[in-house]
Every structure is written in structure tokens, then in C-alpha cells.
Amino acid sequence: MKLVVAIVSDSDSTKITESLLAAGYPGPTRINTVGGFLRKGNATLLLGTDDDRVESAIDVIRSAVEDRGVPADPNQKRATIFVLNTSRFIRV
Amino acid sequence: MKLVVAIVSDSDSTKITESLLAAGYPGPTRINTVGGFLRKGNATLLLGTDDDRVESAIDVIRSAVEDRGVPADPNQKRATIFVLNTSRFIRV
Amino acid sequence: MKLVVAIVSDSDSTKITESLLAAGYPGPTRINTVGGFLRKGNATLLLGTDDDRVESAIDVIRSAVEDRGVPADPNQKRATIFVLNTSRFIRV
């Protein structure tokens, strides 16, 4: 089981959540965050997923943010994704 | 040292925190989060603990949420817990 | 790539962010959190960084919080830092 931590713009987070649900993932847990140099509001999404579905989850997130078209600044990134190993995963 | 990430319902988070303190754990760091399909408010708790006290921390969390009795929907989960390895842990 | 999770006091978080930027790190993502026994407001900062720059990032955080001088209670800690391994890191 992996924990996917995706830092995304506020405006993309609903679309990403809907895309993940449509692809059969659980709804991610959303944290309101503030980030980066411009101190803009963004969102950090937490998603637990099986190891073999991590790449597909990344693809879903990528597709959701790329749908917005090319950013004004081509160096601007729209999502920063960390994938963490878990040593235990439990639902009670 | 492990980092325990527990996603719990808002209404359980105070009880879990009190139970952890009573069991000798440090007070967890609480993040207000929004999660899951129903987009309900929940809380994400961060708790650093020694490897050999992780299972006991999970038991404390489980007991605290089970105290509420059986949920209306038996498939409903009351806590999702990820345990992460840390490569460094420092307090300054 | 590592994910640094630093739990710091609210009053230190802006200074830490500025110090990290001045040292060439990306602006960390800031989460407003509540923590510890006194349930005081604090902040949790997320910073992705290369493995070989983790120690330097910790030094920057340490310097920023130590600048405030010795706390009234010498046992009081001003930052709790977890360093997590990532199995993937992607920016899209």
C-alpha cells in the first residue's frame, strides 16, 4: 500500500477528486494548504492505494490538470506528487 | 521512529487525542481535512512514535473509535491509518 | 528525493519559509495545524528535497528557530522534523 501525497492548485482539486472517484479510487482526503513562492492557496490530497495502482493514479491526476491546457509559463508545474511507502495500513 | 497518519472522523478526534495522551503518547498534531465520497469534515492526526509502540498506538485509536458502538453501516470505516517509516527524526 | 515534514510553531513558520527560500529551497507547503498537549496553533511544513540536501535543510530550520533565543522552558522543543523516503516523486 502506498500513500500518494499530491500538492495541487486549489482550482484543480475538485476535478482531480472527481477523476479519481470515476477511476475507482477512494475519494482522497483534502487538506487546505498554502504553498510555494507566491504563497497561493493550494490543496494537498492524500490517497491510499495499492502499489500496482499508483501509476494509474498519477496518470489520472496528470490528465485532470493537463485538461486545463498549457499554462502561461511553461515552467510552471501544476502538481507535485510524492509517493510514500507504508509499513502498515489499517482500516478500523 | 514511525510517523502514524490517522484519518478519522471529526467527532472522534478529541477522544483519540485524549486516549493517546492517557496512554503516554505525545499529543498528535491535528489537521482539519475533508475526505471521502461524502466530502465530510474529518481530521488527520500525525503522531511520531517509536517502532515498538506503533501497534499499541493503533490499539488505542481502535479502542477510541469502537467506543462509539457499531456504525449504522457495518462497512463504514471509522479510521484509516497509514504507518510511515522515517529516515530521520529530529527535535530541535 | 525526501519529503521533509516539519511541525513548527506558528510564529516561526514564516521565518523558516524565508530562510529556506534564501538557501535555494522551494517554498514549503504550509498546513495550519493544531498540536500537542496545549492544543496550540502550529504549522506543518512539507518540503521535497534531494537526499543530499536534507541535512542542510534541517540546519536551515534549526537556525531559524534558534534565532528566537533560548525558550523559557529548556525542555520545550521548537521543531519536530520527520524525513520520509519517497518511492516516486513527480512534477507535472
Side-chain angles (χ1 to χ4, degrees):
Chain A
M1 178 67 59
K2 304 287 190 191
L3 177 60
V4 178
V5 178
I7 302 170
V8 303
S9 81
D10 215 27
S11 51
D12 285 330
S13 72
T14 300
K15 172 143 201 221
I16 292 169
T17 295
E18 289 170 354
S19 299
L20 286 168
L21 286 168
Y25 292 90
T29 293
R30 179 203 159 105
I31 309 172
N32 292 320
T33 47
V34 176
F37 185 65
L38 296 174
R39 324 287 304 141
K40 286 194 292 191
N42 55 21
T44 297
L45 304 177
L46 305 181
L47 176 73
T49 187
D50 290 332
D51 292 38
D52 59 4
R53 296 197 72 206
V54 166
E55 289 309 309
S56 166
I58 292 168
D59 288 343
V60 169
I61 296 170
R62 188 197 311 267
S63 296
V65 300
E66 288 182 347
D67 249 27
R68 269 209 292 153
V70 179
D73 172 359
N75 290 319
Q76 193 193 325
K77 297 299 182 182
R78 288 174 288 193
T80 300
I81 305 170
F82 301 93
V83 181
L84 307 176
N85 293 317
T86 62
S87 69
R88 287 280 314 264
F89 170 73
I90 313 106
R91 301 193 73 194
V92 297
Chain B
M1 178 67 59
K2 303 287 190 191
L3 177 60
V4 177
V5 179
I7 302 170
V8 303
S9 80
D10 216 26
S11 51
D12 284 330
S13 72
T14 300
K15 172 144 203 222
I16 292 169
T17 295
E18 289 170 353
S19 300
L20 287 167
L21 287 168
Y25 292 90
T29 294
R30 179 203 158 105
I31 308 171
N32 292 320
T33 47
V34 176
F37 185 66
L38 295 174
R39 322 290 302 143
K40 286 194 292 191
N42 56 21
T44 297
L45 304 177
L46 304 181
L47 176 74
T49 188
D50 290 331
D51 292 37
D52 59 4
R53 296 196 71 205
V54 166
E55 289 309 310
S56 165
I58 292 168
D59 287 343
V60 169
I61 297 170
R62 187 197 311 267
S63 296
V65 301
E66 288 182 347
D67 249 27
R68 268 211 291 152
V70 179
D73 172 359
N75 291 319
Q76 193 193 325
K77 297 298 180 180
R78 289 175 287 193
T80 300
I81 305 170
F82 301 93
V83 180
L84 307 176
N85 293 317
T86 62
S87 68
R88 286 279 317 262
F89 170 73
I90 313 106
R91 301 193 72 194
V92 297
Chain C
M1 179 66 60
K2 303 288 190 190
L3 178 59
V4 178
V5 178
I7 302 170
V8 303
S9 81
D10 215 26
S11 52
D12 284 330
S13 73
T14 301
K15 172 142 204 224
I16 292 168
T17 296
E18 288 169 355
S19 300
L20 286 167
L21 287 168
Y25 291 90
T29 294
R30 178 203 160 105
I31 308 171
N32 292 320
T33 46
V34 176
F37 185 66
L38 295 174
R39 323 287 305 141
K40 286 194 291 192
N42 56 19
T44 297
L45 304 177
L46 305 181
L47 176 74
T49 188
D50 290 331
D51 293 36
D52 59 4
R53 296 197 72 207
V54 165
E55 289 309 310
S56 166
I58 292 168
D59 288 343
V60 169
I61 297 170
R62 187 196 312 267
S63 295
V65 300
E66 288 182 347
D67 250 26
R68 270 211 289 152
V70 179
D73 172 1
N75 290 319
Q76 193 193 326
K77 297 298 181 181
R78 289 175 287 191
T80 300
I81 305 170
F82 300 93
V83 180
L84 307 176
N85 293 317
T86 62
S87 69
R88 287 279 316 262
F89 170 72
I90 313 106
R91 300 193 72 194
V92 296

